[in-house]
Amino acid sequence: MDEPLADLADRFSQIADHYDDKHGSQEKPIYNACASLVIELADPRPDDVVLDLGTGTGLIALALADEACHVVGRDISDTMIEQARSKASDSRLENVEFGYGEFRNPHYDGEVDIVVSNFALHHLSDEKKREAIEAIVDLGPRRFVLGDAMFFGSPDPDEPLFGHGVDAASVGMLVNVLTDLGTVVTTVERVHDQVGVLVAEQLDENGERDIVSTESTTDGGAHE
């Protein structure tokens, strides 16, 4: 897909005021299951800083704020950011901040322990997905949790899960990119044939990491 950044930001700004109603409904079981897995697998420690890329109205960031020391949400839509800030204020959360940021330039130069992203990377072409993942790994997080549209098999053009030109990558391509960049993919969760969650871990100085490898399936008929 990889539509111009300004056009993409404008498209999401136009739906920001009803985005939560659309994605929080029971008609979105795949999206909801994916978001829940991202939150669960992020598993921040009390002293962790979490960066949420493509934060939208802050669903993931706000959910992680109770567990982490600090959460930073970044998005390209000013109106989405305003919605996220309003929700944080309503919840009286003081350890979360929202601002403009892109995958390849999140406009954040502090330390990051965990990076999460849910249903945002698919707006980039495969080449720019690689560049985005490289930028994320360069931030030095010990864990990267990606929930998104991704193919576990060959895509069936007669049964598309999504409209509006979602550019999903294959699981194999994403795993290869993460591995080439020196991370270890420790978790692969299949939510649907076209949706999954990956967790990549950085090796410590001793070359060690916690290994988790699971696969589950939650089918449904949602459309992103």
Side-chain angles (χ1 to χ4, degrees):
M1 183 181 181
D2 202 21
E3 64 183 280
L5 203 61
D7 293 344
L8 184 62
D10 181 64
R11 178 156 66 84
F12 277 98
S13 290
Q14 291 179 26
I15 63 172
D17 61 345
H18 60 273
Y19 185 85
D20 285 349
D21 293 336
K22 172 185 175 184
H23 288 80
S25 71
Q26 294 302 312
E27 298 177 356
K28 295 287 181 178
I30 295 175
Y31 180 89
N32 295 336
C34 194
S36 295
L37 273 172
V38 170
I39 293 167
E40 175 186 343
L41 293 170
D43 192 24
R45 301 167 183 166
D47 59 346
D48 278 341
V49 175
V50 180
L51 175 62
D52 180 18
L53 295 174
T55 192
T57 62
L59 170 66
I60 305 294
L62 296 173
L64 294 174
D66 286 337
E67 305 297 331
C69 174
H70 191 68
V71 181
V72 179
R74 290 291 185 259
D75 204 274
I76 61 172
S77 165
D78 291 338
T79 309
M80 290 288 226
I81 293 167
E82 290 173 6
Q83 291 283 336
R85 288 173 175 164
S86 178
K87 289 162 65 176
S89 177
D90 290 344
S91 299
R92 299 183 179 180
L93 292 171
E94 298 181 353
N95 66 329
V96 59
E97 63 174 275
F98 296 98
Y100 181 90
E102 306 162 20
F103 276 109
R104 289 167 288 173
N105 184 9
H107 293 269
Y108 178 74
D109 57 6
E111 293 188 2
V112 178
D113 300 291
I114 299 171
V115 176
V116 298
S117 183
N118 188 57
F119 272 83
L121 193 69
H122 64 252
H123 294 293
L124 302 179
S125 66
D126 282 359
E127 179 182 354
K128 291 186 178 179
K129 285 185 182 72
R130 291 175 184 271
E131 295 174 2
I133 293 172
E134 182 174 4
I136 290 168
V137 172
D138 284 347
L139 293 172
R142 74 168 188 276
R143 179 177 302 133
F144 171 39
V145 185
L146 172 65
D148 214 325
M150 58 184 74
F151 293 111
F152 282 79
S154 299
D156 184 350
D158 294 327
E159 295 186 12
L161 180 62
F162 304 105
H164 64 70
V166 168
D167 190 358
S170 69
V171 174
M173 175 267 188
L174 294 170
V175 170
N176 286 340
V177 171
L178 288 162
T179 302
D180 289 345
L181 292 172
T183 68
V184 178
V185 176
T186 57
T187 303
V188 178
E189 289 272 6
R190 183 169 66 89
V191 180
H192 180 277
D193 286 346
Q194 300 178 41
V195 177
V197 180
L198 303 181
V199 179
E201 307 271 357
Q202 296 269 19
L203 297 176
D204 63 21
E205 61 272 15
N206 298 317
E208 297 177 349
R209 86 283 186 198
D210 293 329
I211 300 176
V212 179
S213 181
T214 57
E215 183 172 319
S216 64
T217 304
T218 304
D219 285 333
H223 290 69
E224 164 61 2

